[in-house]
Amino acid sequence: AQKITQTQPGMFVQEKEAVTLDCTYDTSDPSYGLFWYKQPSSGEMIFLIYQGSYDQQNATEGRYSLNFQKARKSANLVISASQLGDSAMYFCAMRGLSGAGSYQLTFGKGTKLSVIP
Amino acid sequence: DTAVSQTPKYLVTQMGNDKSIKCEQNLGHDTMYWYKQDSKKFLKIMFSYNNKELIINETVPNRFSPKSPDKAHLNLHINSLELGDSAVYFCASSRREGPAFFGQGTRLTVV
């Protein structure tokens, strides 16, 4: 079974500052992938960044980076230089890379980020 | 050249009706999904298909029936709609590894 925990229902950040959104996970899969998605108020689900459990380096995509700490089972999203357009819900998700767990993404409850001008 | 497209975007219908939501992906992915997002924004998987075969069928009422005519399509048919079915339904697709890509969502309102 897979479980994703996002403990921050809401976060505020000043424009141009960096912010970290927390995500911890639990799984019995030996290898897995971790994902972050953004859902703006318009409703679409936008893929941001991916980290494989076997990757040695933390993933980065532009202003997004994933702080992956395997021993602590955490996969925090760091957004640098926040912009007003970053205001949205952010979901952490995971999927196993083998067996039945590879056929579903399990999501956390999300964190609502508000960027203050 | 939309990657995952689902129609309609909005669906308002009366209790007891039957409705369908269509989903198509042009990414060449083998796996397709249906997710339900409730009013608290929680995303829960309903079904997962791989190469047209049902892999995951979560605790979903029998009134919900997915159909995958081919790898690129996964439609969702809902019989005898109830008020509690009101939600946003997302179709998504993925390869075996890597991210899932989502359709725009269908906001279903049952009145």
Side-chain angles (χ1 to χ4, degrees):
Chain A
Q2 300 167 350
K3 186 177 179 182
I4 294 282
T5 302
Q6 294 180 253
T7 57
Q8 306 153 314
M11 289 278 287
F12 290 90
V13 64
Q14 204 76 37
E15 195 177 6
K16 300 180 185 175
E17 298 291 313
V19 63
T20 298
L21 306 184
D22 293 342
C23 173
T24 57
Y25 62 91
D26 196 14
T27 182
S28 55
D29 288 307
S31 58
Y32 46 89
L34 295 154
F35 310 83
W36 278 91
Y37 287 83
K38 172 184 179 182
Q39 187 177 40
S41 58
S42 51
E44 68 267 34
M45 291 289 290
I46 301 167
F47 164 68
L48 294 178
I49 194 167
Y50 165 75
Q51 177 84 46
S53 61
Y54 43 76
D55 292 338
Q56 297 296 316
Q57 291 191 321
N58 287 344
T60 60
E61 286 287 347
R63 294 186 298 111
Y64 304 109
S65 60
L66 201 153
N67 184 358
F68 179 47
Q69 297 187 46
K70 194 171 182 177
R72 301 177 74 172
K73 294 189 175 180
S74 73
N76 298 339
L77 177 70
V78 180
I79 305 175
S80 62
S82 296
Q83 301 172 356
L84 295 178
D86 294 334
S87 294
M89 281 288 284
Y90 288 82
F91 293 96
C92 181
M94 76 175 301
R95 184 171 79 206
L97 297 181
S98 61
S102 65
Y103 294 110
Q104 68 172 11
L105 270 174
T106 299
F107 284 86
K109 292 185 176 181
T111 296
K112 185 172 183 180
L113 178 67
S114 300
V115 180
I116 305 165
Chain B
D1 55 344
T2 305
V4 183
S5 63
Q6 57 181 105
T7 55
K9 187 171 181 181
Y10 300 98
L11 188 52
V12 181
T13 187
Q14 289 187 322
M15 281 174 55
N17 283 351
D18 303 339
K19 290 293 178 185
S20 293
I21 306 172
K22 295 186 176 182
C23 179
E24 176 182 5
Q25 56 97 1
N26 62 5
L27 298 167
H29 290 164
D30 291 332
T31 305
M32 295 187 73
Y33 315 82
W34 278 108
Y35 278 85
K36 180 180 181 180
Q37 186 173 43
D38 62 24
S39 58
K40 294 184 179 179
K41 301 291 187 181
F42 184 60
L43 279 152
K44 184 171 169 56
I45 191 164
M46 301 173 69
F47 303 103
S48 169
Y49 271 73
N50 187 62
N51 284 324
K52 301 194 305 175
E53 295 211 12
L54 180 65
I55 303 294
I56 287 177
N57 181 351
E58 288 292 298
T59 310
V60 176
N62 290 339
R63 300 180 294 103
F64 290 79
S65 54
K67 283 189 171 49
S68 182
D70 55 57
K71 267 178 41 172
H73 295 83
L74 180 61
N75 303 323
L76 184 65
H77 189 73
I78 315 168
N79 289 327
S80 303
L81 278 155
E82 300 177 357
L83 292 177
D85 298 331
S86 295
V88 179
Y89 293 85
F90 283 99
C91 175
S93 73
S94 73
R95 297 191 192 285
R96 188 66 183 268
E97 294 187 21
F101 292 93
F102 284 75
Q104 62 182 354
T106 296
R107 182 174 293 278
L108 172 65
T109 303
V110 183
V111 298

